[in-house]
Amino acid sequence: MRLSRPLAALFISSSIPAAYAWGAAGHEIIATIAQMYLHPSIVPTICDILDYSPDDATTTQPQPCHLAPISTWADKFRFKMRWSSALHYVGPLDDHPSQTCLFPGERGWAGSRGGNVLDGIKNVTSLLEDWTRGEANDGTANEALKFLIHFMGDLHMPLHLTGRDRGGNSDKVLWSGRQTNLHSLWDGLLIAKAIRTVPRNYSRPLPYPDVEHALRGTIYDSYIRRIMWEGVFQKWSDQVPEWFSCPEATPASAGEIGIWQQVVMNWKRLSGGKQGVEIGPDTDVVCPYHWAKPIHALNCDVVWPKELDEPPYGGGIKFADEDDGEEDAAGRPPKPHPPLLELDTPKYAGVIEDTMVVEKLLAQSGIRLAGILNYLFLKDAARS
Ligand SMILES: *[C@@H]1O[C@H](CO)[C@@H](O)[C@H](O)[C@H]1NC(C)=O
Ligand SMILES: *[C@@H]1O[C@H](CO)[C@@H](O)[C@H](O)[C@H]1NC(C)=O
């Protein structure tokens, strides 16, 4: 078997502690699912806009052009574009899964105005709308489109929707005995296992030309076939039409919160807690807040293991800080390191696998991305 470029990328992305996004495989899978749903008449427009030159995307333009190779551009170039890093996630203040999930609570959102993934998606979508009206140049459209493809992926990664412990990056856990962190687990390791364990029957083409045409001969082709066959065409087929829809402009403001949460938040405010920023409203076509709300709730349901806040893994017991294995000045022996929680277990990973949570997020992300692109460029195709 040929070791494809995406395979190499998968391993690279799961071995570095990535602070950003689904790993390369996650973003490419999402983009590949989106590709299946693109209206054929908008593909040439997208090919024209996207710059695949090596400097820009470290890839050459595939024929026909495909969204997957540029889906990780925003991560690859984030060091050159530091201003953009806050646009990959959003942090509701006082949110603390698994005990308290607020999206947002009374104090609103952390960070600076406009600097979050919800506003980022609306921002780049509106830049692309400007382009369809001839009011933005091609360079702007190229970057906006690459950001949109990437941010729609990030929006569907639950740990990009909470600020706790840097989205789980600081939470050390075990995965099959190896140390990793909660964020990396969701970024790549769960997906890598799903790819490894996909049933063999998915190595055969499905009787769906749109699915097969979008696949590129990668190691995750079989996994995508499984997501489409078992998920999109069966398990979730009734829900898929709702995935696109947006309610009329939902404000991303304080939601319904319980009385105890109110008491705690009032106390925090009285004791000098800062008010957060506001996030702009959804539109009736692009509604990242509405889409993100149930994804954020997964943080309390399945993503954050409750044990992380209970002894012996967390809570109550005080352990030494990281790498503090030395005797202290008074000659006392080093304090023990906390044990790490294993998550490749039936109770954690097993539930995620059985309920196809990750697969559903990948599918929702891809289908919604295609919906936005069709909305943007079908209008354009109709006009010219
Ligand atoms: C998008 O973000 C850029 C950079 O932060 C800002 O200058 C611009 O006004 C924003 N555009 C919209 C439509 O929000
Ligand atoms: C592949 O096998 C699984 C059982 O392992 C079955 O549920 C599924 O429908 C099969 N897929 C196809 C495409 O035949």
Side-chain angles (χ1 to χ4, degrees):
M1 194 180 76
R2 192 169 59 94
L3 198 71
S4 66
R5 191 189 54 77
L7 175 62
L10 178 73
F11 288 137
I12 292 163
S13 69
S14 50
S15 58
I16 30 179
Y20 298 86
W22 299 105
H27 279 286
E28 292 180 6
I29 290 166
I30 289 166
T32 303
I33 294 174
Q35 186 90 14
M36 297 170 195
Y37 287 86
L38 294 181
H39 193 281
S41 71
I42 74 165
V43 174
T45 311
I46 287 178
C47 300
D48 282 352
I49 295 175
L50 288 174
D51 178 359
Y52 286 89
S53 67
D55 275 359
D56 210 20
T58 54
T59 182
T60 48
Q61 178 162 356
Q63 293 297 336
C65 75
H66 201 287
L67 303 178
I70 41 83
S71 63
T72 53
W73 170 86
D75 275 346
K76 283 183 197 144
F77 288 87
R78 65 179 185 264
F79 299 112
K80 279 194 192 164
M81 308 182 290
R82 289 199 178 277
W83 55 271
S84 72
S85 54
L87 299 175
H88 292 245
Y89 53 85
V90 65
L93 290 170
D94 308 319
D95 182 46
H96 196 83
S98 65
Q99 296 105 330
T100 311
C101 271
L102 296 172
F103 198 71
E106 262 192 1
R107 296 199 303 144
W109 309 91
S112 58
R113 208 181 170 81
N116 61 77
V117 68
L118 306 180
D119 284 326
I121 287 171
K122 285 172 294 195
N123 184 312
V124 292
T125 305
S126 94
L127 288 173
L128 288 166
E129 274 186 298
D130 291 349
W131 181 86
T132 64
R133 288 191 298 259
E135 292 163 12
N137 63 38
D138 293 351
T140 303
N142 169 45
E143 288 205 3
L145 183 49
K146 285 179 187 160
F147 275 128
L148 177 63
I149 293 164
H150 189 84
F151 293 161
M152 280 302 286
D154 286 350
L155 183 78
H156 290 74
M157 159 54 156
L159 289 169
H160 277 245
L161 306 178
T162 180
R164 182 178 177 189
D165 305 341
R166 297 165 47 242
N169 271 294
S170 329
D171 294 283
K172 290 185 194 146
V173 295
L174 294 179
W175 180 250
S176 300
R178 298 222 192 125
Q179 183 176 314
T180 181
N181 67 64
L182 193 59
H183 193 101
S184 298
L185 180 63
W186 277 79
D187 233 9
L189 295 172
L190 284 170
I191 293 176
K193 182 179 177 192
I195 293 170
R196 272 197 318 271
T197 55
V198 75
R200 291 193 141 260
N201 57 346
Y202 290 103
S203 57
R204 285 194 304 271
L206 292 180
Y208 291 94
D210 288 343
V211 171
E212 294 300 324
H213 282 155
L215 299 179
R216 297 179 304 141
T218 65
I219 47 138
Y220 48 72
D221 283 9
S222 302
Y223 182 45
I224 294 179
R225 289 191 185 107
R226 175 169 175 248
I227 295 173
M228 301 306 294
W229 181 264
E230 290 178 30
V232 175
F233 300 145
Q234 291 182 46
K235 198 172 162 67
W236 317 307
S237 61
D238 293 346
Q239 314 167 18
V240 172
E242 286 162 36
W243 292 356
F244 293 106
S245 66
C246 291
E248 278 175 36
T250 317
S253 56
E256 286 167 36
I257 49 172
I259 185 77
W260 284 109
Q261 287 162 2
Q262 282 184 37
V263 170
V264 170
M265 283 184 303
N266 283 336
W267 171 78
K268 283 196 176 148
R269 196 170 45 232
L270 288 173
S271 55
K274 276 208 328 254
Q275 238 3 67
V277 297
E278 292 200 359
I279 283 181
D282 283 350
T283 73
D284 50 9
V285 201
V286 180
C287 50
Y289 174 73
H290 170 73
W291 292 330
K293 207 171 161 52
I295 301 170
H296 173 264
L298 293 173
N299 282 310
C300 279
D301 296 341
V302 293
V303 177
W304 289 79
K306 301 204 177 352
E307 292 91 332
L308 279 186
D309 291 308
E310 294 164 357
Y313 305 107
I317 304 180
K318 284 264 171 287
F319 289 102
D321 287 341
E322 196 177 348
D323 297 327
D324 182 12
E326 307 277 306
E327 291 186 352
D328 69 8
R332 282 183 296 252
K335 290 186 217 133
H337 286 279
L340 298 179
L341 177 64
E342 171 63 51
L343 291 179
D344 195 3
T345 59
K347 186 175 172 218
Y348 185 81
V351 169
I352 290 165
E353 287 155 17
D354 292 346
T355 49
M356 295 183 73
V357 179
V358 171
E359 290 73 24
K360 185 171 171 184
L361 290 168
L362 297 171
Q364 286 181 314
S365 178
I367 290 177
R368 285 171 177 156
L369 171 60
I372 298 177
L373 297 177
N374 287 339
Y375 156 77
L376 281 169
F377 300 119
L378 270 179
K379 286 195 311 184
D380 186 48
R383 216 186 351 270
S384 58

